[in-house]
Amino acid sequence: MHHFQLIALPPTPFAPLFTLSDQALAQQGAQRHIATENTGYPCRISLEDAQQGDELLLLPYEHQPAASPYRASGPIYVRRGAVQRVLPADEVPPYLSSRLLSVRAYDAAHQIVDASVREGTHVAEEIERFFSNAEVAYLHLHFAKRGCFACRVDRAS
């Protein structure tokens, strides 16, 4: 069995953005949102959906900063006051298991070596399958419908 660890984003780079005006956020391509329901606002720091009434920022995030043809960024939500979640190895929270996911496997040179689309309820098996390939260094999970980055997945011992 190949163990894995889902990696949430740290809150530190995002916290100061919550003090900005909506106009200042717009100049950075970001928007302030208030969750209108308990699903549909997946926070990349807490790896859970925001609850109705929570304040979030929708902003561009460079999730693949490596100098490779796969360098990429895209929109993410982060919730005000969210604490970086550290999940136990091999755990897939409802934030992911309730959605259709794109799984992208990268090698040490940040090249995609494999990819698939899976229901979140089956993503743990797909992660394990990808990590059975020694060439795979890490994975990225994306929400398949909108293509937004969900989290990074590393090997766990």
Side-chain angles (χ1 to χ4, degrees), residues 127-154:
I127 291 168
E128 186 175 333
R129 183 180 76 78
F130 280 150
F131 279 150
S132 70
N133 177 351
E135 188 180 5
V136 173
Y138 62 94
L139 309 172
H140 279 183
L141 302 182
H142 291 253
F143 299 119
K145 289 184 179 180
R146 297 198 179 202
C148 303
F149 174 76
C151 68
R152 179 180 166 126
V153 184
D154 288 337

Side-chain angles (χ1 to χ4, degrees), residues 9-31:
L9 297 179
T12 307
F14 307 107
L17 299 175
F18 283 94
T19 66
L20 298 178
S21 69
D22 289 349
Q23 180 180 5
L25 287 170
Q27 291 173 349
Q28 296 186 35
Q31 301 172 350

